[in-house]
PDB file of all heavy atoms in Angstrom:
ATOM      1  N   LEU A 252      -6.635   1.325 -10.193  1.00  0.00           N
ATOM      2  CA  LEU A 252      -6.027   2.594 -10.611  1.00  0.00           C
ATOM      3  C   LEU A 252      -5.391   2.479 -12.004  1.00  0.00           C
ATOM      4  O   LEU A 252      -5.493   3.410 -12.810  1.00  0.00           O
ATOM      5  CB  LEU A 252      -4.990   3.046  -9.579  1.00  0.00           C
ATOM      6  CG  LEU A 252      -5.586   3.542  -8.257  1.00  0.00           C
ATOM      7  CD1 LEU A 252      -4.501   3.701  -7.203  1.00  0.00           C
ATOM      8  CD2 LEU A 252      -6.353   4.849  -8.455  1.00  0.00           C
ATOM      9  N   ILE A 253      -4.760   1.362 -12.293  1.00  0.00           N
ATOM     10  CA  ILE A 253      -4.175   1.162 -13.627  1.00  0.00           C
ATOM     11  C   ILE A 253      -5.283   1.171 -14.680  1.00  0.00           C
ATOM     12  O   ILE A 253      -5.139   1.785 -15.753  1.00  0.00           O
ATOM     13  CB  ILE A 253      -3.351  -0.145 -13.676  1.00  0.00           C
ATOM     14  CG1 ILE A 253      -2.065   0.030 -12.854  1.00  0.00           C
ATOM     15  CG2 ILE A 253      -3.018  -0.536 -15.119  1.00  0.00           C
ATOM     16  CD1 ILE A 253      -1.287  -1.261 -12.643  1.00  0.00           C
ATOM     17  N   GLU A 254      -6.399   0.518 -14.379  1.00  0.00           N
ATOM     18  CA  GLU A 254      -7.539   0.510 -15.309  1.00  0.00           C
ATOM     19  C   GLU A 254      -8.093   1.912 -15.541  1.00  0.00           C
ATOM     20  O   GLU A 254      -8.667   2.191 -16.597  1.00  0.00           O
ATOM     21  CB  GLU A 254      -8.651  -0.409 -14.792  1.00  0.00           C
ATOM     22  CG  GLU A 254      -8.304  -1.875 -14.888  1.00  0.00           C
ATOM     23  CD  GLU A 254      -9.319  -2.788 -14.213  1.00  0.00           C
ATOM     24  OE1 GLU A 254     -10.384  -2.299 -13.748  1.00  0.00           O
ATOM     25  OE2 GLU A 254      -9.043  -4.002 -14.140  1.00  0.00           O
ATOM     26  N   LYS A 255      -7.903   2.810 -14.581  1.00  0.00           N
ATOM     27  CA  LYS A 255      -8.358   4.200 -14.715  1.00  0.00           C
ATOM     28  C   LYS A 255      -7.298   5.083 -15.374  1.00  0.00           C
ATOM     29  O   LYS A 255      -7.483   6.288 -15.502  1.00  0.00           O
ATOM     30  CB  LYS A 255      -8.741   4.782 -13.353  1.00  0.00           C
ATOM     31  CG  LYS A 255      -9.889   4.071 -12.684  1.00  0.00           C
ATOM     32  CD  LYS A 255     -11.162   4.194 -13.475  1.00  0.00           C
ATOM     33  CE  LYS A 255     -12.292   3.458 -12.782  1.00  0.00           C
ATOM     34  NZ  LYS A 255     -13.489   3.378 -13.581  1.00  0.00           N
ATOM     35  N   GLY A 256      -6.168   4.498 -15.767  1.00  0.00           N
ATOM     36  CA  GLY A 256      -5.158   5.253 -16.497  1.00  0.00           C
ATOM     37  C   GLY A 256      -4.000   5.793 -15.671  1.00  0.00           C
ATOM     38  O   GLY A 256      -3.180   6.552 -16.185  1.00  0.00           O
ATOM     39  N   VAL A 257      -3.894   5.416 -14.413  1.00  0.00           N
ATOM     40  CA  VAL A 257      -2.792   5.880 -13.571  1.00  0.00           C
ATOM     41  C   VAL A 257      -1.512   5.140 -13.975  1.00  0.00           C
ATOM     42  O   VAL A 257      -1.526   3.933 -14.203  1.00  0.00           O
ATOM     43  CB  VAL A 257      -3.104   5.650 -12.072  1.00  0.00           C
ATOM     44  CG1 VAL A 257      -1.904   5.994 -11.198  1.00  0.00           C
ATOM     45  CG2 VAL A 257      -4.324   6.471 -11.660  1.00  0.00           C
ATOM     46  N   ASP A 258      -0.426   5.869 -14.067  1.00  0.00           N
ATOM     47  CA  ASP A 258       0.874   5.303 -14.423  1.00  0.00           C
ATOM     48  C   ASP A 258       1.312   4.309 -13.352  1.00  0.00           C
ATOM     49  O   ASP A 258       1.516   4.687 -12.198  1.00  0.00           O
ATOM     50  CB  ASP A 258       1.902   6.419 -14.563  1.00  0.00           C
ATOM     51  CG  ASP A 258       3.274   5.952 -15.027  1.00  0.00           C
ATOM     52  OD1 ASP A 258       3.535   4.730 -15.057  1.00  0.00           O
ATOM     53  OD2 ASP A 258       4.089   6.826 -15.358  1.00  0.00           O
ATOM     54  N   LYS A 259       1.484   3.056 -13.739  1.00  0.00           N
ATOM     55  CA  LYS A 259       1.811   2.016 -12.765  1.00  0.00           C
ATOM     56  C   LYS A 259       3.176   2.225 -12.117  1.00  0.00           C
ATOM     57  O   LYS A 259       3.433   1.696 -11.037  1.00  0.00           O
ATOM     58  CB  LYS A 259       1.718   0.628 -13.393  1.00  0.00           C
ATOM     59  CG  LYS A 259       2.718   0.339 -14.470  1.00  0.00           C
ATOM     60  CD  LYS A 259       2.491  -1.053 -15.029  1.00  0.00           C
ATOM     61  CE  LYS A 259       3.415  -1.317 -16.211  1.00  0.00           C
ATOM     62  NZ  LYS A 259       3.137  -2.626 -16.782  1.00  0.00           N
ATOM     63  N   ARG A 260       4.037   3.041 -12.730  1.00  0.00           N
ATOM     64  CA  ARG A 260       5.355   3.314 -12.128  1.00  0.00           C
ATOM     65  C   ARG A 260       5.242   4.134 -10.850  1.00  0.00           C
ATOM     66  O   ARG A 260       6.145   4.117 -10.020  1.00  0.00           O
ATOM     67  CB  ARG A 260       6.269   4.012 -13.139  1.00  0.00           C
ATOM     68  CG  ARG A 260       6.644   3.114 -14.319  1.00  0.00           C
ATOM     69  CD  ARG A 260       7.434   3.859 -15.333  1.00  0.00           C
ATOM     70  NE  ARG A 260       6.532   4.857 -15.936  1.00  0.00           N
ATOM     71  CZ  ARG A 260       6.847   5.674 -16.914  1.00  0.00           C
ATOM     72  NH1 ARG A 260       8.076   5.662 -17.405  1.00  0.00           N
ATOM     73  NH2 ARG A 260       5.993   6.536 -17.411  1.00  0.00           N
ATOM     74  N   LEU A 261       4.140   4.854 -10.696  1.00  0.00           N
ATOM     75  CA  LEU A 261       3.916   5.637  -9.472  1.00  0.00           C
ATOM     76  C   LEU A 261       3.437   4.772  -8.312  1.00  0.00           C
ATOM     77  O   LEU A 261       3.582   5.149  -7.157  1.00  0.00           O
ATOM     78  CB  LEU A 261       2.831   6.696  -9.718  1.00  0.00           C
ATOM     79  CG  LEU A 261       3.202   8.013 -10.323  1.00  0.00           C
ATOM     80  CD1 LEU A 261       1.963   8.866 -10.516  1.00  0.00           C
ATOM     81  CD2 LEU A 261       4.216   8.745  -9.490  1.00  0.00           C
ATOM     82  N   LEU A 262       2.838   3.628  -8.623  1.00  0.00           N
ATOM     83  CA  LEU A 262       2.133   2.825  -7.622  1.00  0.00           C
ATOM     84  C   LEU A 262       3.049   1.840  -6.915  1.00  0.00           C
ATOM     85  O   LEU A 262       3.695   1.011  -7.549  1.00  0.00           O
ATOM     86  CB  LEU A 262       0.981   2.074  -8.297  1.00  0.00           C
ATOM     87  CG  LEU A 262      -0.011   2.939  -9.070  1.00  0.00           C
ATOM     88  CD1 LEU A 262      -1.040   2.075  -9.771  1.00  0.00           C
ATOM     89  CD2 LEU A 262      -0.674   3.964  -8.162  1.00  0.00           C
ATOM     90  N   ILE A 263       3.067   1.944  -5.601  1.00  0.00           N
ATOM     91  CA  ILE A 263       3.885   1.059  -4.771  1.00  0.00           C
ATOM     92  C   ILE A 263       2.955   0.389  -3.777  1.00  0.00           C
ATOM     93  O   ILE A 263       2.183   1.064  -3.084  1.00  0.00           O
ATOM     94  CB  ILE A 263       4.977   1.862  -4.046  1.00  0.00           C
ATOM     95  CG1 ILE A 263       5.856   2.494  -5.115  1.00  0.00           C
ATOM     96  CG2 ILE A 263       5.757   0.990  -3.083  1.00  0.00           C
ATOM     97  CD1 ILE A 263       6.885   3.419  -4.667  1.00  0.00           C
ATOM     98  N   ILE A 264       3.028  -0.939  -3.732  1.00  0.00           N
ATOM     99  CA  ILE A 264       2.096  -1.646  -2.861  1.00  0.00           C
ATOM    100  C   ILE A 264       2.759  -2.150  -1.582  1.00  0.00           C
ATOM    101  O   ILE A 264       3.906  -2.566  -1.583  1.00  0.00           O
ATOM    102  CB  ILE A 264       1.376  -2.797  -3.594  1.00  0.00           C
ATOM    103  CG1 ILE A 264       2.337  -3.875  -4.075  1.00  0.00           C
ATOM    104  CG2 ILE A 264       0.550  -2.281  -4.756  1.00  0.00           C
ATOM    105  CD1 ILE A 264       1.624  -5.102  -4.634  1.00  0.00           C
ATOM    106  N   GLU A 265       1.975  -2.062  -0.531  1.00  0.00           N
ATOM    107  CA  GLU A 265       2.301  -2.656   0.763  1.00  0.00           C
ATOM    108  C   GLU A 265       1.157  -3.606   1.028  1.00  0.00           C
ATOM    109  O   GLU A 265       0.039  -3.176   1.242  1.00  0.00           O
ATOM    110  CB  GLU A 265       2.397  -1.566   1.844  1.00  0.00           C
ATOM    111  CG  GLU A 265       2.687  -2.077   3.239  1.00  0.00           C
ATOM    112  CD  GLU A 265       1.506  -2.808   3.865  1.00  0.00           C
ATOM    113  OE1 GLU A 265       0.425  -2.203   3.983  1.00  0.00           O
ATOM    114  OE2 GLU A 265       1.666  -3.999   4.221  1.00  0.00           O
ATOM    115  N   GLU A 266       1.422  -4.900   0.983  1.00  0.00           N
ATOM    116  CA  GLU A 266       0.340  -5.877   1.033  1.00  0.00           C
ATOM    117  C   GLU A 266       0.398  -6.832   2.223  1.00  0.00           C
ATOM    118  O   GLU A 266      -0.179  -7.913   2.174  1.00  0.00           O
ATOM    119  CB  GLU A 266       0.288  -6.664  -0.279  1.00  0.00           C
ATOM    120  CG  GLU A 266       1.556  -7.385  -0.613  1.00  0.00           C
ATOM    121  CD  GLU A 266       1.518  -8.024  -2.004  1.00  0.00           C
ATOM    122  OE1 GLU A 266       0.586  -7.759  -2.785  1.00  0.00           O
ATOM    123  OE2 GLU A 266       2.430  -8.802  -2.282  1.00  0.00           O
ATOM    124  N   GLU A 267       1.065  -6.434   3.287  1.00  0.00           N
ATOM    125  CA  GLU A 267       1.171  -7.291   4.468  1.00  0.00           C
ATOM    126  C   GLU A 267       0.277  -6.843   5.616  1.00  0.00           C
ATOM    127  O   GLU A 267      -0.039  -7.625   6.503  1.00  0.00           O
ATOM    128  CB  GLU A 267       2.624  -7.343   4.956  1.00  0.00           C
ATOM    129  CG  GLU A 267       3.614  -7.879   3.931  1.00  0.00           C
ATOM    130  CD  GLU A 267       3.286  -9.293   3.475  1.00  0.00           C
ATOM    131  OE1 GLU A 267       2.914 -10.127   4.330  1.00  0.00           O
ATOM    132  OE2 GLU A 267       3.363  -9.547   2.261  1.00  0.00           O
ATOM    133  N   SER A 268      -0.152  -5.593   5.617  1.00  0.00           N
ATOM    134  CA  SER A 268      -0.873  -5.042   6.761  1.00  0.00           C
ATOM    135  C   SER A 268      -2.300  -5.554   6.862  1.00  0.00           C
ATOM    136  O   SER A 268      -2.954  -5.826   5.855  1.00  0.00           O
ATOM    137  CB  SER A 268      -0.875  -3.516   6.695  1.00  0.00           C
ATOM    138  OG  SER A 268      -1.507  -3.082   5.519  1.00  0.00           O
ATOM    139  N   THR A 269      -2.765  -5.670   8.102  1.00  0.00           N
ATOM    140  CA  THR A 269      -4.155  -6.060   8.360  1.00  0.00           C
ATOM    141  C   THR A 269      -4.831  -5.105   9.350  1.00  0.00           C
ATOM    142  O   THR A 269      -5.922  -5.392   9.835  1.00  0.00           O
ATOM    143  CB  THR A 269      -4.240  -7.507   8.899  1.00  0.00           C
ATOM    144  OG1 THR A 269      -3.480  -7.595  10.103  1.00  0.00           O
ATOM    145  CG2 THR A 269      -3.736  -8.507   7.884  1.00  0.00           C
ATOM    146  N   SER A 270      -4.180  -3.978   9.637  1.00  0.00           N
ATOM    147  CA  SER A 270      -4.743  -2.979  10.549  1.00  0.00           C
ATOM    148  C   SER A 270      -4.171  -1.612  10.192  1.00  0.00           C
ATOM    149  O   SER A 270      -3.181  -1.513   9.464  1.00  0.00           O
ATOM    150  CB  SER A 270      -4.386  -3.316  12.005  1.00  0.00           C
ATOM    151  OG  SER A 270      -2.995  -3.138  12.223  1.00  0.00           O
TER     152      SER A 270
END
Side-chain angles (χ1 to χ4, degrees):
L252 288 169
I253 289 171
E254 288 172 6
K255 298 296 179 188
V257 174
D258 184 349
K259 66 181 175 183
R260 293 175 292 183
L261 275 178
L262 305 176
I263 299 174
I264 63 172
E265 178 288 302
E266 58 187 10
E267 300 301 318
S268 60
T269 59
S270 69

